[in-house]
Amino acid sequence: MATNTLPKNDGRASGISARAQNAVQRFVHAEASSGVLLVMAAVAALVWANSPWSDSYRHLWEATLTFDLSFVTVVEDLRHLVNDGAMTLFFFVVGLEIKRELLRGELASIRKATLPIAAAIGGMVLPAVIYLAWNAGGPGVPGWGIPMATDIAFAMGLLALAAPRIPNALKVFLLALAIVDDLGAILVIAVFYTDRLLLEPLLWGGLVLGVIVAIRAAGVRSVLYYVPLGLLFWLAVLESGIHATLAGVVLAVLTPAGPVKSRD
């Protein structure tokens, strides 16, 4: 009696393929969960900020926190720590995701990557033009960069509602569009909304970045080296006056998109 047999590596290959195909879905669902929490927090903040206890809401965000690291002291209020600290980590994570898609995923070809990038650029330029036209000659003109950004977390939360009906390629497109849009907005903030630029911290940041590139080229893989160096790079960018979230984007670009193979 004849029997049908499969090559021994078919199961492994199909497993790898399934994991690759489900990577974006897992990311979208993870973002959807955080998006739900974000919506709940936004509603709570709106209620709190418009309640009789609105002063306590303002005082919370204005609370000053100090971190003394002996060689540098960081003094920031809670609002700036979230904007410059937590958002740096957020953009590091989403930067890794879009880099993976550009190198190995749905956006690996120039033809596939061009459309979401072009759409993101249009999504930044058109709102800014409309804003400038509406506020021409008024005191609100300097705020033209505000409508340029797309909120990734809220976008992913809305995307998750229709996830079962949306093909994977469209999910990647929307994800790439939102991420590129936000990265572009960060660059606009860094270039046009930087009040002061200190060269000494910027030079130190360049030195630390050079060390990161050097040890990466030397094959160093332990995160015990990269975490403190990444923290130093973030501190240098923060002290230079440039929007600190750029540090997360740069570090994401330098991080390998997949497991590093052994040289042995």
Side-chain angles (χ1 to χ4, degrees), residues 235-257:
L235 284 171
V237 175
L238 177 66
E239 292 299 314
S240 72
I242 298 177
H243 202 292
T245 48
L246 280 176
V249 177
V250 173
L251 293 174
V253 171
L254 294 176
T255 303

Side-chain angles (χ1 to χ4, degrees), residues 196-215:
R196 59 185 178 87
L197 183 62
L198 303 180
L199 291 181
E200 184 178 350
L202 202 59
L203 291 174
W204 279 109
L207 178 62
V208 174
L209 192 62
V211 173
I212 294 174
V213 172
I215 65 173

Side-chain angles (χ1 to χ4, degrees), residues 12 27 47 57 93 106 169 175 182 203 211 239 252 255:
R12 183 183 301 173
F27 181 79
V47 172
Y57 177 81
V93 173
E106 296 284 348
L175 176 64
D182 263 18
L203 291 174
V211 173
E239 292 299 314
T255 303

